[in-house]
Amino acid sequence: MEFEKIKGFSPQIGHLVSQMNYARKTTIEAVDGLSASDLDYLSSKDGNSIGALLLHMAAVEKGFQIEIFDGRRPNEREMEEWGPPYSLGDKGRAHIKGHPLEFYTDKLEEVRSRTLIELANLNDDWLYENRLWDNHPSNNYFIWFHVFEDEINHRGQIRMIRKMLKPQS
């Protein structure tokens, strides 16, 4: 696999999208074939399920869409939908369960679709625009790098949790 230019994106944004696509491909491979009960499995009383981690990935990206593309904070409706998976923990355990794999992959795809549309309308200069992120100097490139960095981190957790599941017959 190599990172390459992607038609429809400026060169550096294309490289970023290529990396995001690879991270997503490997995430989807890591959860292939899991049942709803597999996705709900908790390895400890204060752990997160695979389903919650998948929805968290979508929620992080959704949050950055709202902050960066919309230039605002999430509204009440968005917080109701995306707050539990963004926060995880007790809220996530209480609200994120009972869904088939397609529920999570559809959410991931829905959110990513908007990101790709937005990024296609921007140029490489935009990536390097300075902005504050969590009260620290940053730029758009680092923020969108963080989206798939977070995904890769949680994909590692997913792989570990999957190993704890009973072998499928």
Side-chain angles (χ1 to χ4, degrees), residues 9 11 15 20 33 54 72 87 103 116 119-120 143 151 166:
F9 297 95
H15 289 155
M20 292 172 79
L54 290 170
R72 62 179 177 81
S87 300
F103 170 82
L116 296 177
L119 291 176
I143 290 168
E151 179 168 340
K166 292 180 185 175

Side-chain angles (χ1 to χ4, degrees), residues 5-169:
K5 294 179 182 177
I6 299 178
K7 186 178 180 182
F9 297 95
S10 64
Q12 290 297 309
I13 291 178
H15 289 155
L16 178 68
V17 168
S18 181
Q19 293 170 68
M20 292 172 79
N21 288 345
Y22 178 75
R24 181 57 46 83
K25 174 186 174 294
T26 57
T27 295
I28 298 302
E29 289 171 352
V31 298
D32 185 47
L34 293 178
S35 67
S37 63
D38 294 336
L39 293 164
D40 290 347
Y41 173 75
L42 292 170
S43 61
S44 66
K45 67 179 175 76
D46 60 347
N48 295 301
S49 68
I50 291 173
L53 293 170
L54 290 170
L55 206 53
H56 174 75
M57 293 172 190
V60 166
E61 189 166 343
K62 181 70 173 180
F64 282 119
Q65 288 175 351
I66 293 166
E67 180 182 341
I68 307 300
F69 299 143
D70 299 340
R72 62 179 177 81
R73 305 211 27 97
N75 61 37
E76 190 175 323
R77 183 191 57 74
E78 290 161 338
M79 285 304 294
E80 192 172 301
E81 178 178 1
W82 296 104
Y86 189 86
S87 300
L88 293 173
D90 290 337
K91 283 185 177 183
R93 284 186 289 281
H95 293 93
I96 307 167
K97 53 189 168 190
H99 301 290
L101 181 58
E102 294 75 28
F103 170 82
Y104 300 105
T105 57
D106 287 351
K107 288 287 188 184
L108 286 164
E109 187 175 324
E110 172 190 321
V111 171
R112 179 59 52 87
S113 176
R114 177 174 181 213
T115 297
L116 296 177
I117 290 167
E118 296 286 350
L119 291 176
N121 291 316
L122 298 166
N123 62 38
D124 289 347
D125 291 339
W126 175 85
L127 285 174
Y128 300 100
E129 286 179 8
N130 293 326
R131 66 180 321 120
L132 281 180
W133 178 50
D134 199 25
N135 293 318
H136 298 285
S138 189
N139 62 28
N140 291 315
Y141 209 143
F142 182 80
I143 290 168
W144 287 97
F145 161 79
H146 177 71
V147 168
F148 73 89
E149 175 197 33
D150 187 71
E151 179 168 340
I152 291 167
N153 178 48
H154 293 304
R155 186 192 62 226
Q157 291 176 300
I158 287 169
R159 287 177 174 162
M160 290 178 63
I161 295 167
R162 187 169 186 156
K163 287 180 181 182
M164 295 176 198
L165 297 171
K166 292 180 185 175
Q168 303 296 315
S169 44

